[in-house]
Amino acid sequence: MVVAYLTSGESGSVATTPAPATASEPHVLTGLIGAPIKHSASPAMHEAAAAAVGLRGHYQLIEVAGADRAQLRGLLDGVRQMGFAGVNVTYPYKEAVVELLDELAPEAQAMRAVNTVVVRDNRLIGHNTDTTGFARAVAPLVESSSRGPVALVGAGGVGKAIAFALASLGVHELRIVDADRAKAEMLAALLRDHPGVSVADTVEAALHGAVGLVNGTPVGMLPNRDSPVPEALLHDGLWVADAIYSPLWTPLLTAAKARGAQVMTGRELAIHQAADGFKLFTGRTAPIEAIAMAFDGVMAKRYGSA
């Protein structure tokens, strides 16, 4: 049933069966599990990366909403059986898949969240390239603000990755706030070896004296047009980053820019996590420029400009 689902295009998946690869052009099959994902730029980025290194890539969108443990296990078994090199995992399954994998890389084990599953010798191995990707993307902002205090809104799958990235960059204080305080406390506990990590009661408290702000929630992702942070709390002494790239300019970033804050869209995170994931899937390093051009092409087609 899972194999039929992955190849039929039913239940919201975007599926086309790739033609057989030629001997001179090896084929790599990868994909994405999550919901909603029709907006994803990952197919374009990964297929461009494959072409850049002489592979013929096919990236399958596997959109499944409300999957329970048994359904996720079935999907992952299908990925294992069908010859995938691996799959990315996005909202809302980055934490749910952790217990279903055969092995976790150290960074995924530490944060208990996975966005990349690699198939090796019929084993499913979990990684987190959101962490490495976000660390590379945000490093200039962190360094230019002298690693001052940062407020992180959201302690879910991507929030965890962002928190570990910021900790790895040596921010002096990381203040985590989440509508579910227990989730924020669990994340702080995972980062107990990093000094300066705390849980804030409110967004306002998290931002008091902060130099940086990151949105690690899906608030602001289309079709939602809300912001996780009241506009009155934004100012020109902040840098503000958003993990969302659909739209590229979220309500939060638009308001922050209007208030004079330095802003970073989800573009850099998307590009760098894709590059790291592609290398894990294939063992090959694709030019960042090819991945970036593919991402920008998707954004230009969708919104008129990147």
Side-chain angles (χ1 to χ4, degrees):
M1 182 175 71
V2 172
V3 172
Y5 168 81
L6 289 173
T7 58
S8 70
E10 295 177 355
S11 301
S13 67
V14 178
T16 57
T17 303
T22 64
S24 61
E25 191 180 40
H27 177 252
V28 58
L29 176 61
T30 53
L32 174 66
I33 297 174
I37 56 173
K38 289 176 182 173
H39 67 278
S40 178
S42 291
M45 290 191 290
H46 281 266
E47 291 174 9
V53 298
L55 298 174
R56 186 163 60 84
H58 178 76
Y59 192 94
Q60 179 80 35
L61 291 182
I62 308 167
E63 181 163 329
V64 185
D68 61 19
R69 179 186 176 91
Q71 289 170 314
L72 281 177
R73 184 181 292 280
L75 285 171
L76 290 169
D77 284 343
V79 165
R80 191 196 319 252
Q81 294 163 16
M82 288 185 62
F84 278 75
V87 290
N88 291 124
V89 180
T90 191
Y91 180 84
Y93 303 124
K94 292 182 179 184
E95 295 165 292
V97 299
V98 167
E99 301 299 332
L100 304 177
L101 304 177
D102 300 306
E103 183 181 339
L104 295 174
E107 80 284 354
Q109 176 69 50
M111 73 184 71
R112 309 299 293 171
V114 163
N115 83 317
T116 302
V117 178
V118 178
V119 182
R120 288 285 184 273
D121 300 322
N122 207 39
R123 290 172 57 80
L124 300 176
I125 305 168
H127 299 261
N128 201 303
T129 66
D130 282 336
T131 294
T132 54
F134 188 77
R136 281 211 299 276
V138 82
L141 292 174
V142 170
E143 291 168 7
S144 66
S145 58
S146 302
R147 296 180 171 80
V150 178
L152 169 62
V153 183
V158 72
K160 284 183 173 181
I162 289 168
F164 273 78
L166 290 168
S168 75
L169 293 172
V171 298
H172 299 317
E173 293 183 53
L174 176 60
R175 304 157 182 174
I176 305 166
V177 61
D178 193 284
D180 182 347
R181 185 182 174 87
K183 290 177 66 174
E185 290 176 344
M186 288 176 62
L187 177 52
L190 292 174
L191 288 161
R192 58 186 171 272
D193 292 336
H194 296 269
V197 177
S198 63
V199 174
D201 292 324
T202 64
V203 172
E204 184 174 12
L207 275 169
H208 182 70
V211 299
L213 164 66
V214 185
N215 177 34
T217 78
V219 176
M221 180 186 295
L222 290 174
N224 181 283
R225 296 301 293 158
D226 297 328
S227 173
V229 178
E231 185 174 345
L233 298 179
L234 305 172
H235 55 83
D236 61 8
L238 274 177
W239 59 258
V240 181
D242 205 319
I244 293 169
Y245 67 77
S246 180
L248 203 59
W249 283 94
T250 61
L252 170 63
L253 292 183
T254 300
K257 185 177 181 181
R259 295 231 164 193
Q262 189 173 2
V263 299
M264 184 181 84
T265 70
R267 177 183 185 271
E268 299 304 316
L269 168 58
I271 291 167
H272 286 296
Q273 66 80 23
D276 290 350
F278 182 81
K279 185 169 185 179
L280 287 170
F281 292 146
T282 67
R284 304 192 191 190
T285 300
I288 286 289
E289 295 79 7
I291 297 172
M293 186 176 297
F295 178 88
D296 291 342
V298 171
M299 294 298 105
K301 183 177 180 180
R302 186 174 298 161
Y303 303 114
S305 67

